[in-house]
Amino acid sequence: MNSMYFTEEHELFRKSFQEFLKKEVVPHIEKWEKTGTIERFIWGKFGEMGYFGLGYPEKYGGLEVDLFYTVIFLEELQKINSGGFAAAMWAHSYLAMTHLNVEGSEEIKKNYLEPSIAGEKIGCLCITEPFGGSDVAAMRTTAVKKGDKYVVNGSKTFITNGVYSDYLVVAAKTSPDKGGKGMSIFLMDRDTPGITATKLDKLGWRASDTAEIAFDNVEIPASNLMGDEDKGFNYIMQHFAFERLIMGVNAHARAEFALDYAIDYMGERMAFGKTIDKFQALRHNVAEMASEVEMCKEFNYSIVKRMIDGVYVVKEASMSKLLSTKMADKVIYDCLQLLGGYGYMEEYPMARLLRDSRLGPIGGGTSEILREIIAKMVIDKKEYKLAAK
């Protein structure tokens, strides 16, 4: 236990969550990986245990505990070897629900945030577009106000929970002439006429449903606008820091899981009359990997602490995602090598880990985009500030 950041209560939560995952989730993982569909019952079980409400207000059924409980939640989800299942859970809880909590009206919080915390409704966040990618400001989806309604047209892609969710949090241009500054955030019910979703076939994250979504003259009430009109870009950028930190934490956790598995394997695998953890070349490779994992983990924990203290950690979170996801890919690649031929077999965890990890440097802002964002802050001295609702 790292007592600088985690208390005894944190560790008790970790153990109870590990037991929950082992009992309620792990027995179903292989089926969900094959079908690409996570059965609805598990969302309810997460809700019953309060796992979707860790950082949310008690008023809506949340627990309002500190951010290190979320770190534990993320870390343990990575250690059951289904990046897709983990993504479905945290995309609901920390992407869609974050916008509900920060920008949603009281009515929206009551009707959507509260049942989301309970696991009764599933959400998805729709920002990325087929022609936009990481360039959020280039968004083409529009929302035109007509009387007491908005009419939405456009498309989104690579949306986690995009097929089976109950509601969508959607970014759209309300003032296209203003470019990135003319964007707003809306809530949509899944069954609203004009919304269609196409399930995408992915290299990894097989358990999660990822969709391309089309909006064809979708009419929604004006009250479904979240926050202020034309302030959506600021809201998105504000929450991106948290999403990048989440992906950094995910990366160090899955790398740690891979390394622990490889070390256990090395202690059992015999070659030339001794276990392979006695060969210096392999031992030194493990030593270097362990050092890289620990460096990223400690850095990520320090960013979480700063976020708790109210610091806007956009630079540090971008650095976390950039370096942690790169590290995780390398460590998992090298851990697969330590297993030899068995690492290439589907019955061992490394093949899936390798596929799932590869999304890290792509999703939530590519490494190339993050390098430019960091360069602007480090070289050009650009400063980013929190958006006020």
Side-chain angles (χ1 to χ4, degrees):
M1 184 176 77
N2 190 327
S3 59
M4 184 183 299
Y5 303 110
F6 297 100
T7 65
E8 185 176 347
E9 287 75 18
H10 285 125
E11 292 307 316
L12 289 172
F13 171 73
R14 187 187 295 275
K15 290 178 182 177
S16 67
F17 189 45
Q18 288 173 340
E19 292 169 1
F20 171 85
L21 292 172
K22 183 178 180 181
K23 178 183 177 182
E24 304 290 352
V25 177
V26 172
H28 305 285
I29 286 296
E30 295 307 315
K31 177 171 64 173
W32 296 340
E33 284 282 329
K34 287 181 172 64
T35 63
T37 304
I38 299 167
E39 293 166 283
R40 294 283 304 210
F41 76 85
I42 197 62
W43 301 85
K45 287 184 179 291
F46 267 70
E48 288 171 11
M49 296 299 294
Y51 296 137
F52 290 141
L54 295 177
Y56 291 102
E58 291 182 12
K59 180 179 179 181
Y60 307 107
L63 301 177
E64 289 193 70
V65 292
D66 71 64
L67 200 53
F68 279 105
Y69 283 90
T70 291
V71 170
I72 294 168
F73 177 82
L74 296 170
E75 287 179 333
E76 296 308 319
L77 279 173
Q78 291 297 310
K79 296 179 181 181
I80 59 171
N81 199 26
S82 177
F85 178 80
M89 297 299 112
W90 64 256
H92 165 67
S93 189
Y94 298 114
L95 299 188
M97 286 170 56
T98 293
H99 282 275
L100 296 182
N101 186 50
V102 178
E103 292 112 47
S105 64
E106 191 61 32
E107 181 182 5
I108 285 174
K109 290 177 182 177
K110 191 68 179 175
N111 294 332
Y112 293 89
L113 181 59
E114 193 169 303
S116 293
I117 290 171
E120 296 166 358
K121 286 187 177 182
I122 303 169
C124 68
L125 177 63
C126 305
I127 295 177
T128 301
E129 297 192 353
F131 300 100
S134 295
D135 187 1
V136 176
M139 188 174 295
R140 298 183 182 182
T141 298
T142 60
V144 178
K145 193 169 186 180
K146 294 185 178 180
D148 60 353
K149 295 181 179 180
Y150 283 93
V151 180
V152 180
N153 284 282
S155 61
K156 302 290 179 179
T157 196
F158 309 138
I159 308 303
T160 300
N161 296 335
V163 178
Y164 302 122
S165 57
D166 301 297
Y167 65 87
L168 306 85
V169 176
V170 180
K173 288 282 185 71
T174 38
S175 299
D177 56 311
K178 295 181 181 179
K181 295 182 179 180
M183 191 182 302
S184 301
I185 304 291
F186 298 91
L187 177 73
M188 295 185 187
D189 281 307
R190 166 66 58 179
D191 57 4
T192 305
I195 299 176
T196 57
T198 303
K199 196 170 186 178
L200 301 174
D201 191 14
K202 310 184 296 292
L203 172 68
W205 282 21
R206 302 292 294 181
S208 66
D209 62 290
T210 304
E212 182 164 329
I213 302 176
F215 306 101
D216 183 11
N217 289 317
V218 178
E219 294 188 1
I220 57 173
S223 59
N224 282 27
L225 172 69
M226 297 207 295
D228 295 329
E229 191 173 80
D230 292 346
K231 293 291 181 65
F233 186 78
N234 290 337
Y235 300 141
I236 292 168
M237 292 300 107
Q238 175 178 326
H239 301 317
F240 264 167
F242 187 32
E243 181 181 354
R244 288 164 184 161
L245 179 55
I246 285 172
M247 296 192 75
V249 170
N250 288 341
H252 83 233
R254 66 176 170 271
E256 188 171 52
F257 170 69
L259 187 58
D260 287 344
Y261 185 92
I263 291 170
D264 288 343
Y265 176 87
M266 290 169 66
E268 298 174 357
R269 178 69 171 172
M270 298 290 294
F272 305 103
K274 59 184 178 181
T275 55
I276 64 173
D277 62 357
K278 298 298 190 291
F279 290 92
Q280 186 183 72
L282 304 187
R283 292 167 63 86
H284 288 188
N285 192 14
V286 168
E288 186 165 331
M289 287 191 285
S291 300
E292 292 171 345
V293 171
E294 197 67 23
M295 288 286 284
C296 285
K297 184 165 69 170
E298 287 294 321
F299 179 60
N300 292 342
Y301 288 168
S302 73
I303 301 172
V304 173
K305 178 61 168 61
R306 294 187 70 188
M307 185 173 278
I308 291 173
D309 292 340
V311 179
Y312 186 36
V313 292
V314 61
K315 179 177 74 174
E316 294 82 0
S318 299
M319 291 174 170
S320 165
K321 183 183 182 301
L322 175 67
L323 296 184
S324 297
T325 57
K326 181 179 179 181
M327 176 277 297
D329 275 5
K330 179 179 180 298
V331 166
I332 293 167
Y333 183 94
D334 289 346
C335 283
L336 189 152
Q337 183 72 21
L338 292 173
L339 269 66
Y342 292 106
Y344 204 64
M345 298 296 107
E346 286 292 336
E347 63 187 280
Y348 287 76
M350 291 300 173
R352 182 185 299 163
L353 266 170
L354 187 71
R355 292 196 304 274
D356 286 353
S357 184
R358 191 61 188 87
L359 192 276
I362 300 171
T366 65
S367 294
E368 290 75 16
I369 293 293
L370 293 182
R371 291 187 186 100
E372 181 57 26
I373 290 171
I374 294 166
K376 286 179 179 178
M377 288 183 277
V378 173
I379 299 172
D380 303 332
K381 310 303 180 186
K382 183 175 178 60
E383 293 185 1
Y384 295 94
K385 297 180 180 179
L386 279 169
K389 181 179 173 182

